[in-house]
Amino acid sequence: MSLILTPEPLSAAAFAPFGDVIEVADGCNHYAINYGRTERYHDLAALDVLENAGKPTVSIFRSQPAQFPLRVEVMERHPLSSQAFIAMQRKPFLILVAPAGEQPQLAQLRLFEVGAEQGVNYHRGVWHHYQFSLDEVRDFICIDRSGGHGANCDEYRFTEAVYLQRSPSI
Ligand SMILES: NC(=O)N[C@@H](O)C(=O)O
Ligand code: NI
């Protein structure tokens, strides 16, 4: 028996069990800076990267597009840190997540469509599929942890048949 997942829209409330949505939204803490020429939307994600002498790191992931339907072979988690992704070309992308725990539970898998003006920050231990793009090679800013000590990437390989489908809108 296969499990087929289709995307749901990403909102801060829906994503709360997994992390933060990085976006300009009602209720954000924002204020004018630079003599009124810039509005700062402040402190949008809980970065958690200092465990075991880790340090914050900004990288660019140049990701290959996935082919659909995508068979989910593996998911991963970072037990020592958060990990944020923000699309540089402002194109939508898909993320697959499951709550932190010993292993991802099939019944708790969620597929979200990240909008063109959103980013995500996975909280530490949250299971997720590694980054991929849609249609074309795309660049993503990644903010996570480097240095320090301790293994920070656990993988879980599915034996069940889990597939991701795109929605017509993306
Ligand atoms: N391995 C690595 O740095 N990337 C993954 O963590 C990912 O989520 O793409
Ligand atoms: Ni990751």
Side-chain angles (χ1 to χ4, degrees):
M1 192 269 287
S2 302
L3 174 64
I4 298 175
L5 297 170
T6 52
E8 57 187 288
L10 181 69
S11 70
F15 196 64
F18 312 102
D20 313 292
V21 176
I22 300 167
E23 62 182 343
V24 170
D26 294 341
C28 287
N29 175 13
H30 64 93
Y31 46 90
I33 59 173
N34 301 347
Y35 311 100
R37 294 188 178 92
T38 293
E39 191 74 6
R40 179 178 176 132
Y41 289 79
H42 182 63
D43 195 17
L44 298 176
L47 299 187
D48 173 9
V49 296
L50 304 179
E51 186 77 37
N52 289 6
K55 72 177 186 69
T57 300
V58 179
S59 308
I60 289 178
F61 280 34
R62 180 157 288 175
S63 297
Q64 300 295 317
Q67 303 305 313
F68 290 86
L70 171 63
R71 168 111 188 218
V72 179
E73 307 283 351
V74 63
M75 287 182 78
E76 61 177 45
R77 66 177 175 182
H78 307 299
L80 301 179
S81 72
S82 58
Q83 187 175 51
F85 288 101
I86 302 159
M88 293 184 77
Q89 286 100 351
R90 293 166 73 94
K91 294 288 186 186
F93 59 102
L94 296 180
I95 57 171
L96 176 68
V97 291
E102 269 314 295
Q103 64 185 54
Q105 300 297 323
L106 285 182
Q108 294 182 302
L109 289 172
R110 303 278 292 276
L111 180 62
F112 288 102
E113 174 188 327
V114 184
E117 300 189 353
Q118 296 178 311
V120 290
N121 180 53
Y122 303 127
H123 286 173
R124 82 160 65 189
V126 168
W127 292 98
H128 57 280
H129 195 287
Y130 56 78
Q131 193 64 13
F132 60 89
S133 65
L134 298 174
D135 302 318
E136 296 180 36
V137 172
R138 298 277 189 215
D139 291 348
F140 299 87
I141 296 281
C142 176
I143 304 169
D144 60 2
R145 172 186 175 275
S146 71
H149 48 85
N152 192 28
C153 190
D154 299 334
E155 290 191 341
Y156 176 82
R157 291 194 171 273
F158 282 101
T159 52
E160 305 84 351
V162 179
Y163 291 93
L164 309 183
Q165 273 188 334
R166 294 181 67 166
S167 62
S169 64
I170 59 167

